């Protein structure tokens, strides 16, 4: 019995060893030839094919699921007198980042620089808020779930890669992506405002929504940071697994 188990282990070990060392490009990675006259289309297709895999994660490349994207808690504390804000949004989870559409792409394979203009059609954010604030003419107090929808956000980003040598082979490694988000429209729903008081809650909720971009601008730096970190990480997980020649023959 035990010899059967150990034989199975040896076979498993051998199989993974063979898979690891040959490292052939998996089917979901579409390779683009560097002199392809339709290089932009090819790279765009290649990323489009990858999107559902990025959403769920690619365990064999050690790429974690991109959705939901988790954000660090955001603390807002400011003011005195007429304006006073103390608020926290924590446990932020974001769905939708993999539904991005690449609207413009400028690859420069000689310099290994890729410039993208990307549309995020919709992001759905869920978090926990806790707020006690007086801003100009309204009070905001409560604690509970926060739902935020962000529609038609655009971002521009630049990925710069450097060729590095590993065990005699050339690999492409990206520097941290530069990413700048342009604000689109957003909707915010804060539940349990004023302990669920329907009148105060509704009025405040309307004010929050009318000023939603002010609130969003507070979480924007964290969102930018998280997106550029994740996208750079994923790009490197893929490019550092395969040689430059394999990826851009
Ligand atoms: C990339 O592909 C998407 C989906 O097919 C398309 O909507 C978009 O216009 C393409 N972008 C470029 C730069 O070709
Ligand atoms: C966000 O969008 C979803 C559908 O996509 C909708 O069910 C939900 O009510 C929206 N939430 C807000 C805060 O607008």
């Amino acid at each position: 019995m035990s010899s059967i188990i150990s034989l199975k282990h040896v076979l498993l070990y051998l199989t993974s060893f063979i898979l690891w060392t040959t490292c052939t490009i998996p089917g979901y990675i579409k390779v683009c030839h560097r002199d392809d006259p339709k290089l932009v289309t090819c790279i765009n297709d290649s990323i489009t094919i990858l999107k559902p895999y990025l959403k769920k994660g690619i365990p064999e490349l050690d790429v974690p699921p991109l959705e939901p994207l988790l954000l660090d808690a955001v603390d807002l504390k400011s003011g005195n007198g007429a304006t006073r804000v103390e608020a926290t949004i924590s446990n932020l989870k974001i769905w939708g980042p993999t539904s991005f559409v690449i609207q413009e792409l400028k690859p420069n394979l000689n310099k290994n620089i890729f410039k993208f203009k990307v549309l995020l059609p919709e992001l759905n954010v869920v978090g926990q808020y806790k707020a006690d604030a007086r801003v100009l003419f309204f009070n905001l107090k409560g604690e509970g779930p926060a739902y935020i929808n962000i529609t038609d956000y655009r971002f521009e980003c630049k990925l710069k890669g450097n060729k590095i040598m590993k065990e005699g082979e050339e690999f492409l490694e990206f520097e941290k992506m530069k990413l700048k988000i342009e604000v689109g429209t957003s909707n915010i729903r804060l539940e349990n405002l004023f302990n669920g008081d329907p009148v105060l809650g509704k009025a405040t909720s309307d004010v929050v929504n009318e000023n939603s971009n002010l609130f969003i601008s507070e979480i924007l730096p964290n969102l930018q940071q998280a997106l550029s970190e994740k996208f750079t990480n994923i790009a490197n997980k893929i490019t550092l697994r395969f040689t430059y020649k394999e990826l851009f023959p």
Side-chain angles (χ1 to χ4, degrees), residues 40-41 44-45 48 51 101-105:
V40 168
T41 309
N44 190 23
D45 288 350
T48 304
K51 286 199 299 189
V101 178
I102 297 173
Q103 296 189 309
E104 212 181 298
L105 167 60

Side-chain angles (χ1 to χ4, degrees), residues 159-175:
L159 257 183
K160 182 176 184 332
N162 299 304
K163 281 188 187 169
I164 58 163
M165 294 296 285
K166 260 193 343 187
E167 287 150 26
E169 293 277 6
E170 256 183 340
F171 290 83
L172 188 62
E173 183 174 49
F174 291 106
E175 294 173 11

Side-chain angles (χ1 to χ4, degrees), residues 96-167:
T98 54
S99 53
F100 64 82
V101 178
I102 297 173
Q103 296 189 309
E104 212 181 298
L105 167 60
K106 287 188 185 146
N108 181 334
L109 280 184
N110 294 323
K111 291 186 176 164
N112 295 310
I113 293 177
F114 301 82
K115 286 184 184 165
F116 296 90
K117 277 191 183 161
V118 179
L119 170 72
L120 285 169
E122 185 167 328
L123 294 179
N124 305 109
V125 185
V126 181
Q128 286 290 322
Y129 81 95
K130 188 174 177 182
D132 184 357
R134 168 148 193 91
V135 185
L136 299 175
F137 52 92
F138 75 98
N139 285 311
L140 193 152
K141 196 172 163 68
E143 183 172 352
Y147 301 93
I148 307 172
N149 285 347
I150 300 176
T151 324
D152 284 339
Y153 268 38
R154 278 155 221 280
F155 66 84
E156 279 187 35
C157 65
K158 183 173 155 186
L159 257 183
K160 182 176 184 332
N162 299 304
K163 281 188 187 169
I164 58 163
M165 294 296 285
K166 260 193 343 187
E167 287 150 26

Side-chain angles (χ1 to χ4, degrees), residues 53-57 63-70 94 97-98 100 226-227 230-231 234:
Y53 293 90
L54 298 180
K55 187 172 182 174
K56 292 188 181 142
V63 172
L66 191 56
E67 294 193 29
L69 178 70
L70 306 179
I94 304 186
T98 54
F100 64 82
L227 283 176
K230 294 277 165 172
F231 286 138
I234 290 170

Side-chain angles (χ1 to χ4, degrees), residues 26 28-29 50-67 98 229-242:
Y28 49 80
I29 296 184
L50 263 181
K51 286 199 299 189
Y53 293 90
L54 298 180
K55 187 172 182 174
K56 292 188 181 142
I58 313 172
E60 65 268 33
L61 297 184
D62 195 27
V63 172
L66 191 56
E67 294 193 29
T98 54
E229 215 160 79
K230 294 277 165 172
F231 286 138
T232 310
N233 251 331
I234 290 170
N236 277 330
K237 287 257 160 81
I238 294 170
T239 54
L240 290 175
R241 183 59 76 88
F242 308 103

